[in-house]
């Protein structure tokens, strides 16, 4: 079995703040790999690095065997046609309606007839339960609906690699269940490789084949969902069981509270 | 003292860096339209958004400016018994200066600010990022059509402004103040040189148009992705492009009068 994405020794910082401090991750082909971690650890940043929207400080990222940050613009765009990404905020085009949003990549990259595009788009929308919403504008959608449209759009070209940034947050239990199944189906039936970024522990552990847990710029644990559930290390227990106190800080780095309140600098 | 020098130096370096970034953006955009079949409708959409939607303000301003210049000019010319020269006076000041400059200032306020706000918001809501991840280069798909749209719209708007302003002067001079229509038009015809006056004016408007959309696109594309960031970027677009228009107008006029 081959790895679709290989990240080795990744270092990255933002405004002098270290986000990744030597991270190694491999994403095996055809599997669902989850990346979990507390808010603000850099999960979204990781996806942006894989998509080459950000440049790493050190280390390299191979996607389909190519060092994605060394590619020419043309080669990069060619590779991105095989990637899909669901943004945390959705990122729907506000000047296009739901149908046209999903059709966008098909119109840009294929020479399919309008009838074909229509069928494909309606199939994708049916998949996320929003075929009836095809004529709505993004401003008329709820947050959860917008996210599902964005998901339909992200898989419009049937990419090989699909990256989901928090696909489950903001969904009610019913659509959550449907989405979990959908992600599994897309992965298995269409042979996609999926990366899921999430802090929704139970749901994520239920669909992932392999899990990485990050905190403080490092991988603090990895393994199959079962192994994660049984992991005894204090850091992992704290994250998986959701305990407020422990080695993983809930707070963004700051000076002591009493000093801050008293205005001592 | 040394702090001031350091601050000045930092300001200088920052400005140069920004200029370099803007230059690179222009370079990456100018020749990167999608192919003709896809690019043409995108550019036409922008000609509509930047040009056609600016028509109303251009026509109304042109009319009033033409009328005011005629009125003022008439009262001065009449003291020297030269009221017959009203046609040339209006035509020359409009085609050479007022047409391109006022059109550019209005264009910056009407279309430039809209372009900056739109691009900035697309950036802030991750629309540009998701376009990139869909393997569609926003520079080609979003930025380039807007640049060409402005490039095409501006001279057309200036021509319309000139026409309407001269017509406004005709209304005031001939219809209201009672000058002879034949003299008004024929004096204008003999003293306005097509190349020196009309074409030079249009060259100015092309330059202004390009610079204004360039500034607007740069400010939008590099706007800080927050509400305040977009508001600042929009303000900067209007201020910078107005200043650039007036400064460039002086330079271009000097070059044109210098027999360039
Ligand atoms: N544009 C930016 N400029 C500077 N710092 C940033 C920027 N975007 C994110 N960061 C910082 O990078 C860190 C990681 O951010 P990121 O968005 O990757 O977190 P995340 O793990 O996705 O969190 P969440 O689960 O809340 O979405 C954060 O601490 C944040 O402060
Ligand atoms: Mg995130």
């Amino acid at each position: 079995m081959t790895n679709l994405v290989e990240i080795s020794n990744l270092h990255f910082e933002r405004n002098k703040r270290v986000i990744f401090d030597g991270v190694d991750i491999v994403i095996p082909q055809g599997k669902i790999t989850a990346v979990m971690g507390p808010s603000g650890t850099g999960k979204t940043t990781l996806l942006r690095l894989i998509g080459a929207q950000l440049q790493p400080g050190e280390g390299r990222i191979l996607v389909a065997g190519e060092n994605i940050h060394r590619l020419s613009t043309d080669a990069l765009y060619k590779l991105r046609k095989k990637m899909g990404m669901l943004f945390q905020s959705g990122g729907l085009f506000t000047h296009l309606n739901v149908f046209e949003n999903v059709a966008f990549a098909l119109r840009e990259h294929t020479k399919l007839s309008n009838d074909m595009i229509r069928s494909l788009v309606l199939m994708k929308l049916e998949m996320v339960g929003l075929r009836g919403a095809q004529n709505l504008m993004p401003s008329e959608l709820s947050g959860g609906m917008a996210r599902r449209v964005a998901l339909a759009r992200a898989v419009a070209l049937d990419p090989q690699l699909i990256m989901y940034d928090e696909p489950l947050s903001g969904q009610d239990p019913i659509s959550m269940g449907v989405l979990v199944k959908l992600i599994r189906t897309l992965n298995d039936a269409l042979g996609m490789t999926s990366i899921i970024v999430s802090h929704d522990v139970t749901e994520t552990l239920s669909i992932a084949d392999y899990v990485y847990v990050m905190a403080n710029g490092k991988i603090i644990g990895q393994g199959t969902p079962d192994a994660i559930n049984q992991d005894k290390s204090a850091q992992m227990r704290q994250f998986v069981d959701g305990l407020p106190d422990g080695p993983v800080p809930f707070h963004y780095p700051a000076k002591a509270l009493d000093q801050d309140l008293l205005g001592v600098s | 003292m040394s702090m001031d020098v350091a601050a000045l130096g930092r300001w200088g370096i920052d400005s140069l860096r920004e200029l370099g970034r803007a230059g690179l953006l222009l370079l990456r955009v100018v020749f990167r339209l999608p192919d003709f079949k896809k690019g043409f409708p995108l550019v036409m959409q922008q000609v509509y958004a930047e040009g056609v939607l600016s028509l109303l303000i251009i026509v109304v301003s042109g009319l009033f400016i033409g009328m005011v210049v005629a009125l003022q000019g008439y009262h001065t010319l009449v003291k020297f018994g030269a009221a017959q020269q009203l046609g040339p006076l209006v035509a020359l000041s409009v085609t050479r200066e007022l047409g391109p400059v006022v059109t550019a200032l209005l264009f910056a306020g009407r279309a430039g600010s809209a372009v900056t706000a739109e691009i900035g918001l697309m950036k802030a809501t991750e629309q540009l990022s998701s376009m990139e991840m869909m393997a569609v280069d926003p520079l080609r798909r979003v930025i380039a059509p807007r640049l060409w749209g402005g490039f095409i719209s501006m001279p057309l708007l200036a021509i319309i402004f000139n026409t309407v302003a001269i017509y406004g002067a005709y209304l005031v001079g001939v219809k209201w103040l009672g000058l002879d229509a034949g003299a008004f038009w024929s004096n204008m015809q003999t003293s306005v040189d097509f190349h020196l006056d009309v074409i030079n004016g249009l060259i100015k408007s092309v330059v202004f148009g390009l610079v204004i959309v360039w500034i607007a696109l740069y400010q939008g594309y590099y706007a800080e992705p927050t509400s305040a960031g977009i508001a600042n970027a929009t303000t900067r677009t209007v201020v910078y492009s107005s200043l650039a228009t007036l400064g460039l107008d002086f330079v271009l006029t000097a070059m044109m009068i210098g027999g360039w």
Side-chain angles (χ1 to χ4, degrees):
Chain A
M1 187 176 55
T2 52
N3 294 322
L4 193 56
V5 180
E6 287 183 26
I7 301 172
S8 41
N9 189 32
L10 178 67
H11 285 77
F12 182 77
E13 50 184 69
R14 247 182 162 150
N15 304 337
K16 306 244 159 67
R17 184 165 170 252
V18 177
I19 310 282
F20 296 117
D21 186 14
V23 165
D24 301 281
I25 291 179
V26 295
I27 311 288
Q29 182 130 31
K31 300 279 180 199
I32 299 180
T33 308
V35 177
M36 296 198 294
S39 184
T41 33
K43 302 182 296 297
T44 301
T45 308
L46 181 73
L47 295 188
R48 284 184 182 275
L49 282 160
I50 297 176
Q53 293 195 317
L54 295 172
Q55 295 288 326
E58 219 183 288
R60 59 168 199 185
I61 299 182
L62 299 182
V63 179
E66 309 206 57
N67 186 336
I68 192 155
H69 296 101
R70 290 282 160 73
L71 294 177
S72 67
T73 314
D74 284 345
L76 175 63
Y77 274 95
K78 220 161 142 196
L79 190 56
R80 278 186 184 157
K81 283 186 200 170
K82 301 183 198 154
M83 303 163 106
M85 178 147 163
L86 171 64
F87 280 83
Q88 200 163 1
S89 64
L92 293 179
F93 302 132
T94 44
H95 63 291
L96 298 177
N97 67 14
V98 166
F99 182 95
E100 287 302 325
N101 261 286
V102 180
F104 185 82
L106 292 167
R107 291 201 200 285
E108 284 294 317
H109 295 308
T110 67
K111 293 201 162 38
L112 297 175
S113 68
N114 273 334
D115 280 350
M116 264 307 256
I117 291 185
R118 196 180 133 77
S119 320
L120 285 172
V121 170
L122 292 186
M123 268 159 54
K124 302 290 179 201
L125 283 174
E126 175 75 20
M127 212 170 66
V128 294
L130 290 173
R131 188 164 46 85
Q134 56 175 299
N135 292 321
L136 296 183
M137 296 304 283
S139 56
E140 300 170 301
L141 301 175
S142 75
M145 285 160 82
R147 195 71 69 77
R148 282 187 279 156
V149 174
L151 197 154
R153 187 178 70 170
V155 296
L157 286 177
D158 293 331
Q160 289 177 15
L161 172 68
I162 169 101
M163 301 188 268
Y164 304 97
D165 197 347
E166 310 279 1
L168 305 177
S169 68
Q171 301 293 343
D172 63 87
I174 303 175
S175 28
M176 175 111 77
V178 173
L179 285 184
V180 166
K181 229 164 80 202
L182 178 62
I183 290 173
R184 191 76 252 177
T185 317
L186 284 172
N187 195 80
D188 298 349
L190 297 177
M192 292 184 184
T193 301
S194 319
I195 305 178
I196 295 190
V197 151
S198 179
H199 31 222
D200 201 286
V201 179
T202 19
E203 295 297 338
T204 311
L205 289 181
S206 74
I207 40 171
D209 294 310
Y210 200 82
V211 179
Y212 287 90
V213 181
M214 291 195 323
N216 303 328
K218 294 219 175 357
I219 302 286
I220 58 166
Q222 53 175 293
T224 58
D226 287 339
I228 297 286
N229 271 326
Q230 269 140 42
D231 196 308
K232 292 275 182 305
S233 82
Q235 281 181 317
M236 291 289 279
R237 288 273 44 96
Q238 186 204 347
F239 183 72
V240 174
D241 301 337
L243 307 173
D245 291 315
V248 181
F250 162 69
H251 294 281
Y252 190 92
K255 54 192 168 185
L257 179 63
D258 48 358
Q259 281 185 9
D260 227 357
L261 291 179
L262 291 172
V264 182
S265 60
Chain B
M1 176 65 198
S2 72
M3 288 296 274
D4 292 346
V5 175
L8 185 70
R10 184 161 334 115
W11 177 81
I13 290 174
D14 284 349
S15 320
L16 280 180
R17 181 175 298 146
E18 206 166 325
L19 198 64
R21 218 160 46 149
L24 279 179
L25 180 73
L26 187 65
L27 211 64
R28 280 161 67 198
V29 166
V30 166
F31 299 110
R32 300 274 315 269
L33 262 185
D35 59 63
F36 187 79
K37 202 165 142 270
K38 273 186 194 154
F40 185 72
L42 288 175
V43 172
M44 284 304 121
Q45 267 171 25
Q46 292 312 315
V47 170
Y48 177 78
E50 294 170 32
V52 177
L53 293 183
S54 308
L55 264 181
L56 185 64
I57 186 174
I58 296 287
V59 168
V60 173
S61 321
L63 191 67
F64 279 108
I65 287 181
M67 296 198 304
V68 166
V69 171
L71 208 51
Q72 292 279 14
Y74 178 83
H75 282 287
T76 309
L77 288 175
V78 102
K79 289 183 198 150
F80 304 101
Q84 295 306 326
Q85 294 301 317
L86 185 66
L89 171 87
V90 173
L92 288 177
S93 32
V94 167
T95 52
R96 285 180 157 209
E97 288 300 334
L98 288 173
V101 172
V102 175
T103 308
L105 295 177
L106 294 171
F107 184 76
R110 170 66 183 74
S113 57
V115 164
T116 303
E118 191 185 12
I119 306 269
L121 206 62
M122 286 183 86
K123 181 183 179 191
T125 53
E126 295 194 317
Q127 296 183 48
L128 295 183
S129 291
S130 44
M131 202 176 273
E132 274 177 17
M133 286 309 296
M134 284 193 263
V136 178
D137 187 350
L139 291 181
R140 278 185 195 212
R141 176 66 213 237
V142 178
I143 308 289
R146 281 169 174 73
L147 188 79
W148 287 107
F151 181 77
I152 296 171
S153 308
M154 216 356 245
L156 296 180
L157 289 174
I159 292 175
I160 291 168
F161 182 98
N162 290 347
T163 315
V164 176
I166 289 172
Y167 183 71
Y170 164 80
L171 286 183
V172 167
V174 176
K175 294 284 169 193
W176 185 25
L177 300 172
L179 289 177
D180 177 52
F184 181 85
W185 291 121
S186 69
N187 280 343
M188 188 187 294
Q189 216 168 17
T190 45
S191 57
V192 175
D193 181 88
F194 182 70
H195 177 77
L196 277 182
D197 302 320
V198 180
I199 295 292
N200 276 354
L202 289 182
I203 291 177
K204 282 185 181 175
S205 72
V206 171
V207 175
F208 297 160
L210 194 63
V211 170
I212 291 169
V213 265
W214 178 26
I215 292 175
L217 289 169
Y218 172 79
Q219 292 295 343
Y221 193 68
Y222 288 105
E224 201 193 318
T226 59
S227 327
I230 294 170
N232 285 336
T234 313
T235 309
R236 274 201 299 270
T237 293
V238 177
V239 172
Y240 290 175
S241 40
S242 304
L243 291 179
T245 298
L246 297 172
L248 276 172
D249 184 46
F250 178 75
V251 174
L252 288 175
T253 306
M255 279 163 72
M256 285 166 179
I257 285 182
W260 154 65

